[in-house]
Amino acid sequence: MAFQTADTSAAKPSGANPGHANSWYAASARDKRIRPSLEGETEADICVIGAGFTRISAALELAERGYSVVVLEAERIGFGASGRNGGQIVNGYSRDLETIASCYGRERAVKLGEMSLEGGEIIRQRVATYGISCDLVQGGFFAAFTDKQMREMAQSKAEWEKHGHSGLAMVSQDEVSRYVKSDRYIGGMIDTLGGHIHPLDLVLGEAAAVESLGGRIFEGSRVTGIEQAERPVVRTAAGSVRASYVLACGNAYMAPLLPEVHGRMMPVSSQVMATEPLDADLIESLLPANYCIEDANYILDYYRRTADNRLLYGGGIGYGGHDPKDLTSAIRPNMLKTFPQLKDVRIDYAWSGNFALTLTRIPHMGRLSDKVYFSHGDSGHGVTTTHLLGKILGEVVAGHAERFDVWASLPNLPFPGGRHFRVPLTALGAWWYGLRDKLGL
Ligand SMILES: Cc1cc2nc3c(=O)[nH]c(=O)nc-3n(C[C@H](O)[C@H](O)[C@H](O)COP(=O)(O)OP(=O)(O)OC[C@H]3O[C@@H](n4cnc5c(N)ncnc54)[C@H](O)[C@@H]3O)c2cc1C
């Protein structure tokens, strides 16, 4: 079987760090080395396509187990969502465990619940084991606008606690200012096991760890096809890798390479901006605990401090991966609703990226054959989930399929509406949920 690739050439190279989106992350990344591209034929136990969190996590798991690993990245390590996101370590999945139980049954929900804190734990462990400098900070705050959102948070807290999560606490309106100085919220919930990171530094640090264990990573090496065989062959324009197993998971950036999963995934863009560095007293007064903040609306705002005292503010959504023309004008009004005192602050960077949405909002994992595995669709909450799923991909290749089989058994349906109507239909659904948030329903 041969597959065709997506064209991701629309992404503009930046002067600060060529080949990456022009983001604060690319400008401030600690490791700006460019890896060579693949030339000629080579062999490995495992060929991993793409160098985002999922694949680098899988590659690291496999390299730690002693397998030889080759990673092929079309652009640069962390070029996709992994190097551009809000950097928020959010535990769990894009759907709460009760919803998962109602879709997939209680037994599967319990199994997913058992794994739901592991992604964050993997990040903390790797940062410690490999000494990765990525500005890791502990603590997250979910901000509520309405009583209904407070009730929903209290319910998910009770559900989480059944799975052993002891880091959650409800926050009353009087206590909100401990975490965020904004009068928009009526309360919320903290998660002391949440937190934030410089995501590009994290994925670059994990990539360096793969290399330290003998793994090889090629940038500028877009995969153009996978030939199925006893040992599949993965081809780029200038070379090929023959491997015992292939892990193909380019998420929102790779769908046409895998027509089998294309209709089950929709690229969705989100936009982020970073202010100029703020006076230390000012940023500390806005976010005193240095927690990351995510609000509880369907189309949510997410923001946090950076290590150099910028406010990094994200929000907005573009179904089908479409962005507003002027990113700053799209996000800045939301920032000013939260912090009107920042009206004169300069915006130094604004960028966007695509994540992969599934119809169920639950990641989709499976086998294309007994040699080729895929995973995608973290649906916007991917920093922790990708680390978990990458580890599980590593496990299945190493012969331990139990956890992979739980994920692969979850039915993942195509989006309704076919090629032409799936984007407007999804946008309509999101508009309805957004309206409910505005009306406090
Ligand atoms: C703007 C934004 C903000 C976000 N904020 C958060 C957040 O704060 N917290 C959170 O939990 N989640 C967040 N997310 C989601 C999270 O970033 C993603 O779920 C996660 O990074 C996906 O990782 P990935 O490894 O699956 O895919 P990606 O990081 O997208 O990696 C895919 C890689 O595959 C490569 N590729 C594609 N096709 C090929 C090919 N043919 N050959 C070789 N390589 C190929 C691409 O170049 C890319 O580097 C955000 C996403 C976006 C876009």
Side-chain angles (χ1 to χ4, degrees):
M1 187 171 10
F3 308 104
Q4 290 310 305
T5 50
D7 178 9
T8 58
S9 57
K12 305 271 184 305
S14 88
N17 201 343
H20 279 292
N22 192 11
S23 68
W24 173 74
Y25 296 131
S28 59
R30 290 163 167 95
D31 179 357
K32 291 195 168 71
R33 281 176 297 156
I34 297 180
R35 270 71 171 186
S37 60
L38 178 71
E39 283 181 19
E41 294 175 9
T42 189
E43 301 217 5
D45 294 328
I46 324 289
C47 179
V48 178
I49 304 175
F53 285 144
T54 313
R55 289 138 292 271
I56 291 294
S57 176
L60 191 46
E61 175 71 19
L62 288 160
E64 283 174 347
R65 288 170 182 260
Y67 290 91
S68 65
V69 180
V70 167
V71 180
L72 299 176
E73 164 56 48
E75 310 280 346
R76 303 284 309 278
I77 296 165
F79 165 85
S82 301
R84 312 176 186 209
N85 58 59
Q88 307 218 350
I89 298 175
V90 183
N91 290 301
Y93 312 110
S94 286
R95 284 284 176 271
D96 60 54
L97 295 173
E98 264 313 294
T99 311
I100 292 174
S102 64
C103 294
Y104 300 124
R106 178 69 51 192
E107 199 187 325
R108 282 160 165 170
V110 168
K111 287 190 173 145
L112 262 52
E114 284 164 2
M115 303 178 213
S116 58
L117 289 177
E118 199 176 317
E121 190 48 39
I122 295 169
I123 294 172
R124 289 187 288 272
Q125 257 174 23
R126 289 189 178 154
V127 166
T129 305
Y130 296 103
I132 299 173
S133 300
C134 61
D135 308 333
L136 174 62
V137 174
Q138 201 84 2
F141 176 66
F142 300 98
F145 295 100
T146 63
D147 290 336
K148 176 172 171 267
Q149 291 174 345
M150 286 294 280
R151 283 195 300 277
E152 286 167 353
M153 281 180 197
Q155 275 162 13
S156 53
K157 174 174 176 285
E159 196 55 38
W160 275 102
E161 284 169 349
K162 286 189 211 154
H163 291 281
H165 192 341
S166 55
L168 300 173
M170 296 303 290
V171 172
S172 68
Q173 189 157 20
D174 293 346
E175 297 164 328
V176 167
S177 60
R178 286 191 196 165
Y179 305 99
V180 49
K181 197 74 191 295
S182 172
D183 55 15
R184 292 184 84 191
Y185 310 118
I186 65 152
M189 180 173 75
I190 55 164
D191 181 356
T192 56
L193 295 182
H196 54 97
I197 34 117
H198 184 306
L200 184 54
D201 276 345
L202 175 61
V203 71
L204 285 164
E206 293 176 312
V210 170
E211 291 171 324
S212 74
L213 297 171
R216 290 175 287 159
I217 303 180
F218 297 97
E219 294 183 313
S221 301
R222 177 178 303 283
V223 172
T224 52
I226 307 167
E227 280 170 31
Q228 294 278 14
E230 179 54 28
R231 298 195 75 217
V233 180
V234 179
R235 296 201 184 280
T236 67
S240 66
V241 183
R242 185 176 288 280
S244 303
Y245 291 95
V246 178
L247 305 180
C249 358
N251 217 36
Y253 291 86
M254 197 170 72
L257 183 65
L258 306 178
E260 292 86 341
V261 301
H262 190 192
R264 290 172 163 75
M265 185 279 287
M266 181 186 296
V268 175
S269 76
S270 180
Q271 299 93 39
V272 187
M273 64 180 200
T275 65
E276 63 184 311
L278 302 179
D279 181 77
D281 291 341
L282 173 60
I283 190 83
E284 199 167 328
S285 73
L286 302 180
L287 297 167
N290 199 6
Y291 278 23
C292 62
I293 316 288
E294 173 180 305
D295 75 39
N297 277 346
Y298 189 78
I299 296 179
L300 52 89
D301 285 4
Y302 49 93
Y303 51 92
R304 66 182 184 87
R305 281 158 67 170
T306 64
D308 63 352
N309 288 338
R310 296 169 194 272
L311 178 70
L312 195 139
Y313 205 100
I317 214 144
Y319 292 100
H322 305 299
D323 277 321
K325 266 209 175 76
D326 180 348
L327 299 179
T328 304
S329 305
I331 318 166
R332 194 165 171 274
N334 294 357
M335 179 187 83
L336 294 182
K337 271 192 216 156
T338 309
F339 299 121
Q341 58 272 56
L342 298 186
K343 68 179 173 14
D344 296 324
V345 159
R346 195 180 69 230
I347 306 303
D348 279 351
Y349 299 89
W351 65 94
S352 74
N354 288 349
F355 62 86
L357 189 77
T358 60
L359 189 63
T360 56
R361 303 332 187 228
I362 295 297
H364 182 200
M365 270 186 129
R367 292 177 177 87
L368 292 175
S369 71
D370 59 356
K371 299 291 178 183
V372 181
Y373 294 80
F374 68 88
S375 163
H376 69 107
D378 306 298
S379 299
H381 272 176
V383 171
T384 54
T385 323
T386 49
H387 280 82
L388 169 69
L389 299 184
K391 186 174 190 336
I392 291 175
L393 282 172
E395 288 170 5
V396 69
V397 167
H400 307 286
E402 300 80 15
R403 302 205 303 169
F404 175 86
D405 286 343
V406 174
W407 284 94
S409 74
L410 305 178
N412 228 305
L413 300 173
F415 279 88
R419 258 181 62 204
H420 297 297
F421 294 108
R422 62 186 195 146
V423 170
L425 278 177
T426 309
L428 188 66
W431 174 83
W432 166 243
Y433 283 109
L435 184 68
R436 283 166 48 119
D437 282 336
K438 277 199 184 113
L439 300 175
L441 298 174

